[in-house]
Amino acid sequence: MTDSAGPGAGASATGTGLARRRRRLWLRNTSLGLGVFVLAASGTGWAVYEKLNGNITADDDAAAELARYEKERPTALVRGAQNILLIGSDSRSGKGNRKYGRDSGTERSDTTILLHLAANRHSATAVSLPRDLMVHLPDCRRPDGTRSGPVFAAFNSAFEVGGSACTIRTVEKLTNIRVDHHMVVDFHGFKDMVDAVDGVQVCLKQPIDDKDAKLRLPAGEVTLNGEQALGYVRARKSIGNGSDTDRMDRQQRFLGALVNKVRSNDVLLNPAKLYPVLDAATSSLTTDPALASLRGLYQLVRGMRDIPVEQVQFLTVPRASYAYNANRDQLVEPEAAQLFARLRSDTPVAVTKSLSKGSPADVPEDPGVKSGNTAKGRPKSARNSFEGRGEGAYEFAFDYVEQLTGDVKWPVEQALSPAGTPPPAPTFRGNTAAEDACG
């Protein structure tokens, strides 16, 4: 009995132990396989991260130059609000850029946009600054280490003279708005971004045949690839009225359509499409050191993902033809001062496609030249205080913005209106990312 029982019990015990050992071996092998898979995935993720991270170039020279002039730079008024200067370089020295012209060894800012992100991240306002706007450039450090003297010149020459640092200091002196971050992108990076989202749709009222822009397109709805998009936003002579203002309006509408395309689910929720977008967005990108990493960029944009597209607004700073040169621009006051003051104080800005006569964006092309009126203390009429259009009034505009946003004792909107009359918020001509490009 014992012998017969023993083997039976022994066989049962031996079978259970073998099964357990096999199960442990299977689990160990499975865990090892999963571990290898996780490590491989992590390695791939790390390689992708390093690739994208390495695409970005830190603008250390600009950071050093700005630190040199820290005491003269505007202070930020609203905690959490951010102002980013976006600079499109016309450099021909980068990969694939020589086809757009001879590389002279210099570059100018082909497009400059001041992007304001509200502190509550409920809105974003992108303000185009005309490249031909006549401004006062400060003394700037040239690429060879020498310094330029202060000069009254076209805005885009700031980038040629002293790069992004000179451009930032010029913008800050012009607007009295602190520039927190900056990004510089060249032609190649712009094209890749458009191609990465499989093109952007625009609507053309008339066909385009522009040899200078290397652009030939039919009328109607057209989806532009990167090469075509670059020609479209840069073309000037053959589209619209040929003005730089018309070109900036076109750039703004295109950027709105691009924002819509990038934020669409088929891009953001599809890793196969998202990676090329990230790669294109970081390639050919030079930023201040704080943004020169994926972590830095993520911290900046994570609060932007919930901004409704109808609150992503584009407009051009109120401008008119410069009194002494029709091929140059000057600010229109008090409209420009109103805009700058609202951005600096993080006050909402409204845009609309069309405005009634006399509204802030109803800008005359040839305002003429009048003598500017200075005002001490509270002005009787902001419009009268800014009726000058010459260089003297231009300087006064800067002083007035500083007065409004510095030690002023009354609210900005009240200061920008006749005494005792609370005005409605000004509306500027522009568009939003929610508007259908073909609507």
Side-chain angles (χ1 to χ4, degrees):
M1 293 287 296
T2 303
D3 292 341
S4 62
S12 174
T14 302
T16 301
L18 181 60
R20 287 175 179 172
R21 285 196 297 273
R22 287 176 176 171
R23 188 161 52 250
R24 285 197 298 268
L25 181 62
W26 180 85
L27 289 173
R28 186 164 59 248
N29 290 339
T30 302
S31 299
L32 180 61
L34 288 174
V36 170
F37 176 79
V38 169
L39 286 174
S42 299
T44 301
W46 182 254
V48 169
Y49 179 89
E50 284 296 291
K51 166 67 167 60
L52 297 176
N53 209 49
N55 285 345
I56 310 169
T57 301
D59 199 348
D60 295 320
D61 289 342
E65 178 73 358
L66 292 174
R68 178 189 177 107
Y69 292 94
E70 179 59 37
K71 291 184 179 179
E72 74 175 32
R73 300 183 65 194
T75 56
L77 291 187
V78 181
R79 184 177 181 180
Q82 294 278 293
N83 297 294
I84 302 98
L85 195 66
L86 310 175
I87 304 172
S89 165
D90 69 355
S91 171
R92 271 73 168 173
S93 61
K95 179 182 178 183
N97 291 339
R98 291 188 177 182
K99 68 175 71 175
Y100 304 106
R102 182 176 59 86
D103 180 15
S104 62
T106 61
E107 53 184 321
R108 295 193 181 193
S109 50
D110 197 61
T111 301
T112 304
I113 295 174
L114 181 63
L115 174 64
H116 175 78
L117 304 180
N120 59 15
R121 295 302 188 269
H122 290 169
S123 67
T125 303
V127 180
S128 295
L129 300 174
R131 62 181 186 176
D132 295 328
L133 184 68
M134 296 302 293
V135 298
H136 289 274
L137 274 61
D139 64 304
C140 295
R141 184 181 184 278
R142 298 189 183 97
D144 63 4
T146 62
R147 303 200 69 85
S148 66
V151 64
F152 188 65
F155 172 67
N156 69 340
S157 61
F159 196 72
E160 178 184 18
V161 172
S164 52
C166 189
T167 301
I168 291 168
R169 292 179 59 216
T170 300
V171 169
E172 290 184 339
K173 287 181 177 294
L174 179 71
T175 65
N176 201 32
I177 294 172
R178 173 83 176 203
V179 174
D180 302 294
H181 302 289
H182 70 277
M183 301 180 185
V184 182
V185 63
D186 68 14
F187 293 163
H188 189 70
F190 175 83
K191 291 188 300 180
D192 285 351
M193 184 71 177
V194 175
D195 285 334
V197 296
D198 296 329
V200 174
Q201 187 183 74
V202 298
C203 287
L204 306 178
K205 294 181 179 179
Q206 297 177 342
I208 298 174
D209 189 359
D210 190 316
K211 295 181 180 179
D212 292 338
K214 304 183 186 301
L215 188 65
R216 189 171 184 177
L217 298 170
E221 296 183 6
V222 181
T223 298
L224 305 181
N225 61 29
E227 189 76 31
Q228 293 168 326
L230 181 61
Y232 178 72
V233 299
R234 296 190 69 242
R236 181 171 176 172
K237 299 177 182 178
S238 62
I239 307 178
N241 59 18
S243 69
D244 200 42
T245 299
D246 186 75
R247 188 180 76 137
M248 286 184 291
D249 289 345
R250 189 166 63 253
Q251 290 173 348
Q252 292 161 12
R253 291 192 299 272
F254 182 87
L255 289 175
L258 178 59
V259 168
N260 249 333
K261 189 68 177 288
V262 171
R263 291 187 58 167
S264 63
N265 288 342
D266 65 329
V267 173
L268 295 181
L269 299 183
N270 186 335
K273 291 186 177 182
L274 182 58
Y275 173 77
V277 173
L278 293 175
D279 189 34
T282 53
S283 296
S284 305
L285 188 65
T286 300
T287 76
D288 58 280
L291 293 185
S293 68
L294 285 182
R295 180 181 178 86
L297 289 174
Y298 172 74
Q299 289 177 340
L300 174 68
V301 304
R302 65 180 176 180
M304 298 172 57
R305 57 190 175 192
D306 296 326
I307 298 178
V309 289
E310 61 269 15
Q311 291 302 319
V312 179
Q313 304 177 123
F314 299 88
L315 68 148
T316 299
V317 64
R319 45 70 57 201
S321 296
Y322 181 48
Y324 302 106
N325 186 342
N327 294 319
R328 295 289 182 263
D329 293 326
Q330 65 185 45
L331 295 180
V332 169
E333 302 296 357
E335 291 83 359
Q338 287 179 314
L339 175 61
F340 297 151
R342 294 182 76 84
L343 293 177
R344 186 168 190 237
S345 61
D346 199 31
T347 307
V349 173
V351 300
T352 185
K353 285 185 176 181
S354 59
L355 296 168
S356 60
K357 188 175 182 180
S359 59
D362 186 30
V363 179
E365 284 297 321
D366 296 296
V369 181
K370 302 177 183 179
S371 60
N373 300 321
T374 58
K376 294 183 179 180
R378 184 172 177 172
K380 293 182 179 180
S381 169
R383 182 170 292 278
N384 289 339
S385 298
F386 280 97
E387 57 181 16
R389 291 293 187 266
E391 187 173 332
Y394 194 64
E395 285 288 346
F396 176 70
F398 302 154
D399 297 338
Y400 192 64
V401 173
E402 186 170 0
Q403 177 189 11
L404 289 175
T405 53
D407 297 327
V408 68
K409 303 298 183 183
W410 57 89
V412 169
E413 286 189 17
Q414 192 175 3
L416 290 172
S417 67
T421 306
T427 302
F428 299 88
R429 186 172 62 85
N431 64 285
T432 73
E435 294 174 14
D436 187 351
C438 295

